[in-house]
Coordinates of all heavy atoms in Angstrom, one line a residue:
Q13 N 12.1 -4.4 10.4 CA 13.2 -5.2 9.7 C 13.4 -4.6 8.3 O 14.6 -4.3 7.9 CB 12.7 -6.6 9.6 CG 13.7 -7.6 9.2 CD 13.0 -9.0 9.1 OE1 11.9 -9.1 8.7 NE2 13.7 -10.0 9.6
I14 N 12.3 -4.3 7.6 CA 12.5 -3.7 6.2 C 13.1 -2.3 6.3 O 14.0 -2.0 5.5 CB 11.1 -3.7 5.5 CG1 10.7 -5.2 5.2 CG2 11.2 -2.9 4.2 CD1 9.4 -5.4 4.6
K15 N 12.6 -1.5 7.2 CA 13.2 -0.2 7.3 C 14.7 -0.2 7.6 O 15.5 0.6 7.1 CB 12.4 0.6 8.4 CG 11.2 1.2 7.8 CD 10.6 2.3 8.7 CE 9.6 1.6 9.7 NZ 8.9 2.5 10.6
D16 N 15.1 -1.2 8.5 CA 16.5 -1.3 8.8 C 17.3 -1.7 7.5 O 18.4 -1.3 7.3 CB 16.8 -2.3 9.9 CG 16.4 -1.7 11.3 OD1 16.4 -0.4 11.4 OD2 16.1 -2.4 12.2
E17 N 16.7 -2.6 6.7 CA 17.4 -3.0 5.5 C 17.5 -1.8 4.5 O 18.5 -1.6 3.9 CB 16.6 -4.1 4.8 CG 16.7 -5.5 5.5 CD 15.6 -6.5 5.0 OE1 15.0 -6.3 4.0 OE2 15.5 -7.5 5.7
V18 N 16.4 -1.0 4.4 CA 16.4 0.2 3.6 C 17.5 1.2 4.1 O 18.3 1.7 3.3 CB 15.0 0.9 3.5 CG1 15.1 2.2 2.8 CG2 14.0 0.0 2.9
K19 N 17.6 1.3 5.4 CA 18.6 2.2 6.0 C 20.0 1.8 5.5 O 20.8 2.7 5.1 CB 18.5 2.1 7.5 CG 19.2 3.2 8.3 CD 18.9 3.0 9.8 CE 19.6 4.1 10.5 NZ 19.2 4.0 11.9
E20 N 20.3 0.5 5.5 CA 21.6 0.0 5.0 C 21.8 0.3 3.5 O 22.8 0.8 3.1 CB 21.7 -1.5 5.2 CG 22.1 -1.8 6.6 CD 22.2 -3.3 6.9 OE1 22.5 -4.1 5.9 OE2 21.8 -3.7 8.0
K21 N 20.7 0.1 2.7 CA 20.8 0.4 1.3 C 21.1 1.9 1.0 O 21.9 2.3 0.2 CB 19.5 0.0 0.5 CG 19.3 -1.4 0.3 CD 18.2 -1.7 -0.7 CE 17.1 -2.6 -0.1 NZ 15.9 -2.8 -0.9
V22 N 20.4 2.7 1.8 CA 20.6 4.2 1.7 C 22.0 4.6 2.0 O 22.6 5.4 1.3 CB 19.5 5.0 2.6 CG1 19.8 6.4 2.6 CG2 18.1 4.7 2.1
A23 N 22.6 3.9 3.1 CA 23.9 4.3 3.5 C 24.9 3.9 2.4 O 25.9 4.6 2.1 CB 24.3 3.5 4.8
V24 N 24.7 2.7 1.7 CA 25.5 2.3 0.6 C 25.5 3.3 -0.5 O 26.5 3.7 -1.1 CB 25.1 0.8 0.2 CG1 25.9 0.5 -1.1 CG2 25.4 -0.2 1.3
L25 N 24.2 3.7 -0.9 CA 24.1 4.7 -2.0 C 24.8 6.0 -1.6 O 25.4 6.6 -2.5 CB 22.6 4.9 -2.3 CG 21.9 3.7 -3.0 CD1 20.4 3.9 -2.9 CD2 22.3 3.7 -4.5
K26 N 24.6 6.4 -0.4 CA 25.3 7.7 0.0 C 26.8 7.5 -0.1 O 27.5 8.5 -0.6 CB 24.9 8.0 1.5 CG 23.7 8.8 1.6 CD 23.5 9.3 3.0 CE 22.1 10.0 3.1 NZ 21.6 10.2 4.4
A27 N 27.3 6.4 0.3 CA 28.8 6.2 0.2 C 29.2 6.2 -1.3 O 30.4 6.6 -1.5 CB 29.1 4.8 0.8
Q28 N 28.3 6.0 -2.2 CA 28.6 6.0 -3.6 C 28.3 7.4 -4.2 O 28.4 7.6 -5.4 CB 27.8 5.0 -4.4 CG 28.1 3.6 -4.1 CD 27.1 2.6 -4.6 OE1 26.0 3.0 -5.0 NE2 27.4 1.3 -4.5
G29 N 28.0 8.4 -3.3 CA 27.7 9.7 -3.7 C 26.3 10.0 -4.1 O 25.9 11.0 -4.7
Q30 N 25.4 9.0 -3.9 CA 24.0 9.2 -4.3 C 23.1 9.5 -3.1 O 22.8 8.6 -2.3 CB 23.5 7.9 -5.0 CG 22.0 7.8 -5.3 CD 21.6 8.7 -6.5 OE1 22.0 8.5 -7.6 NE2 20.7 9.6 -6.2
E31 N 22.6 10.7 -3.0 CA 21.7 11.1 -1.9 C 20.3 10.7 -2.4 O 20.0 10.7 -3.6 CB 21.8 12.6 -1.7 CG 23.1 13.1 -1.1 CD 23.2 12.8 0.4 OE1 22.1 12.7 1.1 OE2 24.3 12.7 0.9
I32 N 19.4 10.5 -1.5 CA 18.0 10.2 -2.0 C 17.0 11.2 -1.4 O 17.1 11.5 -0.2 CB 17.5 8.8 -1.5 CG1 18.5 7.7 -2.0 CG2 16.1 8.5 -2.1 CD1 18.1 6.3 -1.7
G33 N 16.2 11.8 -2.2 CA 15.2 12.7 -1.7 C 13.8 12.4 -2.1 O 13.5 11.9 -3.2
L34 N 12.8 12.5 -1.2 CA 11.4 12.2 -1.4 C 10.6 13.4 -1.3 O 10.6 14.0 -0.2 CB 10.9 11.1 -0.5 CG 9.4 10.8 -0.5 CD1 8.9 10.3 -1.8 CD2 9.0 9.9 0.7
A35 N 9.9 13.8 -2.3 CA 9.0 15.0 -2.2 C 7.6 14.5 -1.8 O 7.0 13.6 -2.5 CB 8.9 15.7 -3.5
V36 N 7.1 15.0 -0.7 CA 5.7 14.7 -0.3 C 4.9 15.9 -0.4 O 5.1 16.9 0.2 CB 5.7 14.1 1.2 CG1 4.3 13.8 1.6 CG2 6.6 12.9 1.3
I37 N 3.8 15.8 -1.3 CA 3.0 17.0 -1.5 C 1.6 16.8 -0.9 O 1.0 15.8 -1.1 CB 2.8 17.2 -3.0 CG1 4.1 17.3 -3.8 CG2 1.9 18.5 -3.3 CD1 4.0 17.3 -5.3
Q38 N 1.2 17.7 0.0 CA -0.1 17.7 0.6 C -0.9 18.9 0.2 O -0.4 20.0 0.3 CB 0.0 17.6 2.1 CG -1.3 17.4 2.8 CD -1.2 17.4 4.3 OE1 -0.2 17.5 4.9 NE2 -2.4 17.3 4.9
V39 N -2.1 18.7 -0.3 CA -2.9 19.9 -0.7 C -4.0 19.9 0.3 O -4.8 19.0 0.5 CB -3.5 19.8 -2.1 CG1 -4.2 21.1 -2.5 CG2 -2.4 19.5 -3.1
G40 N -4.2 21.1 1.1 CA -5.2 21.2 2.1 C -4.6 20.6 3.4 O -3.5 20.2 3.5
S41 N -5.5 20.6 4.4 CA -5.0 20.2 5.8 C -5.9 19.1 6.4 O -6.2 19.2 7.6 CB -4.8 21.4 6.7 OG -6.1 22.1 6.7
D42 N -6.3 18.1 5.6 CA -7.1 17.0 6.1 C -6.3 16.4 7.3 O -5.2 16.0 7.1 CB -7.4 16.0 5.0 CG -8.0 14.8 5.4 OD1 -9.0 14.9 6.1 OD2 -7.4 13.7 5.2
P43 N -6.9 16.3 8.5 CA -6.1 15.8 9.6 C -5.6 14.4 9.4 O -4.4 14.1 9.8 CB -7.1 15.8 10.8 CG -8.4 16.5 10.3 CD -8.3 16.6 8.8
A44 N -6.3 13.5 8.8 CA -5.8 12.1 8.6 C -4.6 12.2 7.6 O -3.6 11.5 7.9 CB -6.9 11.2 8.0
S45 N -4.7 13.0 6.6 CA -3.6 13.1 5.6 C -2.3 13.7 6.3 O -1.2 13.2 6.1 CB -3.9 14.0 4.5 OG -4.9 13.4 3.7
S46 N -2.6 14.7 7.2 CA -1.4 15.2 8.0 C -0.7 14.2 8.8 O 0.5 14.2 8.9 CB -1.9 16.4 8.9 OG -2.5 17.4 8.1
V47 N -1.5 13.3 9.4 CA -0.9 12.2 10.2 C 0.0 11.3 9.3 O 1.1 11.0 9.6 CB -2.0 11.4 10.9 CG1 -1.4 10.1 11.6 CG2 -2.7 12.2 12.0
Y48 N -0.6 10.9 8.1 CA 0.2 10.1 7.2 C 1.5 10.8 6.7 O 2.5 10.2 6.7 CB -0.7 9.7 6.0 CG -1.8 8.8 6.3 CD1 -3.1 9.0 5.8 CD2 -1.7 7.6 7.0 CE1 -4.2 8.2 6.1 CE2 -2.7 6.8 7.3 CZ -4.0 7.1 6.8 OH -5.0 6.2 7.1
V49 N 1.3 12.1 6.4 CA 2.5 12.8 5.9 C 3.6 12.9 6.9 O 4.7 12.7 6.7 CB 2.0 14.2 5.4 CG1 3.2 15.1 5.2 CG2 1.2 14.1 4.1
N50 N 3.1 13.1 8.2 CA 4.1 13.2 9.3 C 4.8 11.9 9.5 O 6.1 11.8 9.7 CB 3.5 13.6 10.6 CG 3.4 15.1 10.7 OD1 4.3 15.8 10.2 ND2 2.4 15.6 11.4
N51 N 4.1 10.8 9.4 CA 4.7 9.4 9.6 C 5.7 9.2 8.4 O 6.7 8.6 8.7 CB 3.6 8.4 9.6 CG 2.8 8.4 10.8 OD1 3.2 9.0 11.8 ND2 1.6 7.8 10.8
K52 N 5.4 9.7 7.2 CA 6.3 9.5 6.1 C 7.6 10.3 6.4 O 8.7 9.8 6.1 CB 5.6 9.9 4.8 CG 4.6 8.9 4.3 CD 3.7 9.3 3.3 CE 2.6 8.3 3.1 NZ 1.5 8.7 2.2
K53 N 7.4 11.5 6.9 CA 8.6 12.3 7.2 C 9.5 11.6 8.2 O 10.7 11.6 8.1 CB 8.2 13.7 7.7 CG 7.7 14.6 6.6 CD 7.5 16.0 7.2 CE 6.5 16.8 6.5 NZ 5.9 17.9 7.3
K54 N 8.9 11.1 9.3 CA 9.6 10.4 10.3 C 10.4 9.2 9.8 O 11.5 9.0 10.1 CB 8.6 9.9 11.4 CG 8.4 10.9 12.5 CD 7.7 10.2 13.7 CE 6.6 11.1 14.2 NZ 5.4 10.4 14.8
A55 N 9.7 8.4 8.9 CA 10.3 7.2 8.3 C 11.5 7.7 7.5 O 12.6 7.0 7.5 CB 9.3 6.4 7.5
C56 N 11.4 8.7 6.7 CA 12.5 9.2 5.9 C 13.7 9.6 6.8 O 14.8 9.2 6.5 CB 12.1 10.5 5.2 SG 11.1 10.2 3.7
A57 N 13.4 10.3 7.9 CA 14.5 10.7 8.8 C 15.2 9.4 9.3 O 16.4 9.4 9.4 CB 13.9 11.5 9.9

Side-chain angles (χ1 to χ4, degrees):
Q13 194 181 35
I14 292 174
K15 277 193 270 181
D16 284 338
E17 290 167 13
V18 174
K19 195 174 180 174
E20 279 176 32
K21 285 193 231 172
V22 172
V24 170
L25 287 164
K26 272 193 184 159
Q28 295 166 350
Q30 170 75 60
E31 294 280 335
I32 308 185
L34 169 66
V36 178
I37 307 173
Q38 183 182 0
V39 185
S41 52
D42 172 53
S45 291
S46 300
V47 171
Y48 292 134
V49 166
N50 273 330
N51 288 341
K52 285 165 190 171
K53 283 188 209 159
K54 270 192 222 153
C56 281

